[in-house]
Amino acid sequence: MTTRRRLLCYCQSLMGLGHLARTATLLESLSQLFDITLLLGGPAPSDVYLPDGITIIQLPAIEEKPPGTVQDSLDIRSPDVILHRRQRLAAHTATTTAPDVVLIELFPFGRKKFTPEILGLIKAARVAGRNPIVLSSVRDILVRGRSNQQAHDDRARDVLMKHFDGVLVHVDQQFARLAETFKPRHPVSIPVYHTGFVVRNRSTRKRRVGEAQQLVVSSGGGRYGEPLLRSALRAYQGMDNAPRLKLIAGPMLPAESFGQLLKASQNTDGVHVVRSVPDLPAELAVAVGSVSQAGYNTTMEVLVSGVPALLVPFVSPTDDEQSRRARRLADLGLIRVLEAPYDDAQLRWQMQEICRFRPARVNLDMDGAANSAKLIDDLVGSREPKRRISV
């Protein structure tokens, strides 16, 4: 009997669900080819599907509180104590797993605070003796705008060159390339693979135009979605002859905010407010339009559904990733975009117009999960990258 190859994946979620959701989709494809152990650095919400058959090792939960600092999610242990425990568990898991592949989500492009545990697990995996291929997995567009951006990029490049064998960038390279948002002073000479966009079960998502009955407003995980949800509700209250409105708050919207949203909607006919739904694409399949932020996973689901969509990107002084994504998609005629600052009247007009919008045909590679699985399988089989791309 042939022993299946082993893959160890590390994923740390801090502020949202996007990184974990994308990783789960990758692991679903990879589970057909590898025995998988997932080192999970945050809780696994029921809203994120994790494929059957993988071994999940839960690292002690940690979060940013306040932003920029890490803290025990239970507020009972010091950051130093919990980080040390995590580091030991990560290295132990790598040693006992002895993987053929180590797949690290986001690092070293982010997650700098977790450098010791990530480099420790990579070292332990290499010492375990199976000559693992070590890969970084990142989304289409990286965050830029740090005050020390050049130093950050240079440091990340040095870590890549010393500890990694390649980078998987989950984007169609005609849409974006790593070099556009990662600019170290010296080039990266390890392979960079643009895999296509990662979307779960894209082949099963068929739009049912004749059943379209609702306008869906969603905010991904919901941590930053309250302003959009509240504005959309107020905008809807001023619309005439509007379809039903479904507000999907997201599991990370604070409980108090969710309660206030429910209360504000009680006297408005046609409004349904829910915390989450089991299958967002199923909701979009029967929607006349979609209004959402422009996070990676929600945007991909909007695109494959074919629903007329308005993206309202979340932005901060140090993060314009969602705006970059939304503007590029708008330029392709795939969505409409409304950027901050906006008011209720502007959003109301866009919500009325979206129901008449006809998106262009998506001509982007959306098979990133399957492409990534085949690529990783090929790399392990050959033990050498088949093509090199310097960024």
Side-chain angles (χ1 to χ4, degrees), residues 15 130 369:
M15 302 303 290
R130 294 176 71 92

Side-chain angles (χ1 to χ4, degrees), residues 103-278:
L103 183 65
I104 308 291
E105 206 282 324
L106 186 60
F107 184 83
F109 305 97
R111 303 293 186 258
K112 180 182 176 182
K113 301 178 187 68
F114 302 94
T115 296
E117 71 184 46
I118 295 172
L119 296 187
L121 79 87
I122 291 174
K123 179 180 178 181
R126 292 198 187 280
V127 171
R130 294 176 71 92
N131 188 28
I133 291 175
V134 180
L135 301 169
S136 175
S137 168
V138 297
R139 65 185 175 215
D140 54 346
I141 297 171
L142 299 178
V143 170
R144 292 195 68 81
R146 297 175 178 88
S147 60
N148 61 341
Q149 187 68 54
Q150 188 61 63
H152 173 275
D153 287 0
D154 290 339
R155 181 198 63 82
R157 182 262 180 196
D158 291 345
V159 173
L160 283 173
M161 297 301 297
K162 186 174 181 179
H163 298 283
F164 285 77
D165 300 305
V167 182
L168 306 183
V169 188
H170 301 301
V171 65
D172 185 321
Q173 63 182 339
Q174 302 305 312
F175 181 82
R177 296 174 64 89
L178 180 63
E180 296 173 27
T181 49
F182 181 58
K183 303 177 183 292
R185 275 184 275 252
H186 302 290
V188 172
S189 57
I190 62 171
V192 175
Y193 303 95
H194 296 85
T195 69
F197 290 104
V198 170
V199 193
R200 183 171 175 242
N201 293 338
R202 63 173 299 264
S203 62
T204 65
R205 295 169 178 189
K206 303 297 183 183
R207 180 154 169 74
R208 305 192 296 276
V209 178
E211 301 176 35
Q213 299 175 346
Q214 62 183 359
L215 180 63
V216 173
V217 180
S218 60
S219 61
R223 185 182 291 270
Y224 302 108
E226 184 177 2
L228 173 60
L229 294 166
R230 284 183 168 276
S231 183
L233 177 58
R234 292 192 298 267
Y236 181 81
Q237 290 167 338
M239 291 173 61
D240 295 324
N241 301 316
R244 295 198 304 268
L245 179 70
K246 189 162 192 174
L247 297 176
I248 305 173
M252 301 184 79
L253 182 72
E256 182 180 357
S257 298
F258 182 65
Q260 292 172 350
L261 189 66
L262 280 172
K263 184 176 181 180
S265 69
Q266 286 177 349
N267 296 322
T268 304
D269 292 336
V271 178
H272 186 201
V273 180
V274 296
R275 167 66 78 176
S276 62
V277 293

